[in-house]
Amino acid sequence: MEFSHSDEELVKQPIGYWSWAASQAVVTYIRAGLSGVGLTQPQWWTLHQVAEHPAGRTREEITAVLQGYLDIGADLEPEIDATLERGLLESDDEGRLHFTEAGEALYAQAAEIQRASREAVHEGITDAEFLTTMKVLQRMIHNTGGEAWHH
C-alpha cells in the first residue's frame, strides 16, 4: 500500500480528519455488505443483541446498549420495529425479544458477512498494530474529555 504522505508528514496530519475518513469508509463498507441481505446496521446490532442473550432482550435493554452507536439515539425504535415487522424477532409475554426461525437464519447469514467484512478491513494489519490504534484512539478520546464505549 502506498501511504498519502511520508512518515514525517503523516505525524503532522489532523487526526480528526483521518479518524472521520476511516469511520466513513468502514461504516459504508459494512452497511453495503449488510444491505445485500436486506439489513441495516442498526437492525444487525439489534439481532446481535438477541443472539448474545439466549433469554432474550427487552427493547429497553437493547436501546440502553445501542443508543450511543453512531448517534443512533431515538432512531433505534423504528429499527427494532422493522425486525419485528419482518418476522425476524418476536416478543414473548414479558416483552423479551427472541429470534424466529427466519431471524435466526438471517442472523447466521449476516454474521458471516460481518466476519468477512472484519477480515477484509483488518487485512494487512497485525493484532499489535490494531491494539496500538485502539489505545491511541481511546487515549485521544480521554484527552479531549470525550466519552466512548462499546460492549
Side-chain angles (χ1 to χ4, degrees):
M1 178 186 152
E2 188 173 323
F3 293 98
S4 62
H5 299 78
S6 69
D7 287 357
E8 294 79 20
E9 294 169 324
L10 277 174
V11 298
K12 297 175 185 171
Q13 289 291 302
I15 188 63
Y17 170 76
W18 288 105
S19 60
W20 169 83
S23 176
Q24 291 295 308
V26 171
V27 168
T28 298
Y29 184 82
I30 290 168
R31 288 179 176 177
L34 290 170
S35 73
V37 293
L39 285 176
T40 66
Q41 193 176 32
Q43 290 167 7
W44 158 256
W45 295 332
T46 299
L47 296 178
H48 190 65
Q49 282 295 305
V50 171
E52 289 188 331
H53 298 89
R57 296 288 271 177
T58 65
R59 286 174 168 272
E60 295 76 19
E61 290 169 333
I62 292 171
T63 301
V65 171
L66 301 179
Q67 66 186 349
Y69 282 27
L70 300 179
D71 297 324
I72 192 75
D75 292 335
L76 189 57
E77 283 298 319
E79 299 288 353
I80 295 171
D81 290 341
T83 63
L84 291 161
E85 291 164 8
R86 291 180 58 194
L88 303 175
L89 298 176
E90 58 191 3
S91 181
D92 64 20
D93 293 338
E94 297 172 358
R96 301 187 81 69
L97 303 177
H98 302 272
F99 279 121
T100 62
E101 190 173 313
E104 196 163 0
L106 184 60
Y107 175 77
Q109 190 178 7
E112 179 55 29
I113 290 168
Q114 290 292 74
R115 187 205 57 74
S117 291
R118 187 178 197 287
E119 188 175 295
V121 169
H122 286 242
E123 185 177 338
I125 300 167
T126 67
D127 286 348
E129 290 171 321
F130 184 73
L131 178 61
T132 297
T133 301
M134 294 301 295
K135 287 183 174 182
V136 167
L137 290 172
Q138 288 186 17
R139 184 64 180 170
M140 289 179 169
I141 292 165
H142 171 80
N143 288 349
T144 59
E147 293 183 24
W149 178 86
H150 191 277
H151 75 281

